[in-house]
Amino acid sequence: VRSLEEAKLIIFNDAPNVHPALQKRIVQSVRDGADLLIFGGLFTLAKGEFKDSSLERILPVKLGEIFKLSGSSKTPLSLSAKAPFNWDAAGKKMYYYYGFEPVEGSTVLMTASEDGWFGTKDIPVLVSKKFGKGTVYVLNGTAAGPNKEDSFYNCGFTESLLKFIEQERAAK
């Protein structure tokens, strides 16, 4: 791709402090048909100054708490997806997650279950929303944590996620 305007898929991997001018170009690219995938992490979404930005306005989630940790800093991952998702979650961990909620018009494509004091609750893991001719995807979770071997990045999750999104994009 020679320019942002030619991109078909834009990926933010825990991107901090995206300049407002670049945010506006990304919003326009999505409006024109590019898809945007944002991997949540320690330095993105609310902490990455997405709060009250042009990017926040197109997100499929409402940014709530700046950063929320799961009870033990690790959430046993029990994934449920709306379409086939080829990844064995057994023994894998989701480190940290954001305290966000899907906005009206968004679709929760994937959830994880967390056992807690008051029973099991579903955490949105992958949420999408159409914007213009494109779609914005937000992955709730990060690889940050002490056990990198369990992380999304080292256990085949990212490759499976990109294939999953490609199937979603092809179905448009």
Side-chain angles (χ1 to χ4, degrees):
V1 175
R2 291 189 178 149
S3 71
L4 185 61
E5 290 73 22
E6 296 175 15
K8 295 193 186 309
L9 176 63
I10 302 163
I11 300 174
F12 279 6
N13 184 4
D14 200 11
N17 305 330
V18 178
H19 191 277
L22 179 56
Q23 286 188 33
K24 287 179 182 175
R25 288 182 58 209
I26 291 167
V27 168
Q28 186 60 50
S29 292
V30 174
R31 183 179 287 122
D32 291 343
D35 290 339
L36 173 62
L37 168 60
I38 299 174
F39 284 85
L42 293 173
F43 303 105
T44 195
L45 300 173
K47 270 190 142 179
E49 297 184 8
F50 283 26
K51 191 82 174 132
D52 301 320
S53 71
S54 54
L55 275 177
E56 182 186 23
R57 290 187 274 286
I58 69 169
L59 293 178
V61 295
K62 179 181 177 193
L63 299 178
E65 299 174 39
I66 289 181
F67 198 68
K68 178 178 184 177
L69 302 179
S70 60
S72 66
S73 299
K74 289 189 274 183
T75 301
L77 199 57
S78 177
L79 284 180
S80 174
K82 289 209 178 252
F85 182 67
N86 298 320
W87 184 69
D88 180 12
K92 305 301 191 299
K93 307 286 187 219
M94 181 173 82
Y95 298 95
Y96 316 117
Y97 59 86
Y98 278 87
F100 62 51
E101 295 183 26
V103 299
E104 187 176 330
S106 65
T107 303
V108 177
L109 297 171
M110 195 178 298
T111 61
S113 296
E114 177 185 37
D115 293 327
W117 286 87
F118 302 104
T120 301
K121 77 173 182 181
D122 288 333
I123 302 163
V125 172
L126 182 64
V127 183
S128 72
K129 184 178 179 188
K130 291 286 294 167
F131 178 76
K133 295 178 184 173
T135 303
V136 180
Y137 300 88
V138 173
L139 179 72
N140 187 8
T142 182
N147 300 315
K148 298 281 187 199
E149 67 276 4
D150 290 338
S151 74
F152 287 168
Y153 302 102
N154 294 331
C155 65
F157 181 87
T158 302
E159 292 90 340
S160 295
L161 176 68
L162 291 174
K163 287 177 187 171
F164 179 80
I165 288 175
E166 186 58 36
Q167 291 170 348
E168 287 287 313
R169 293 175 75 224
K172 286 186 198 177

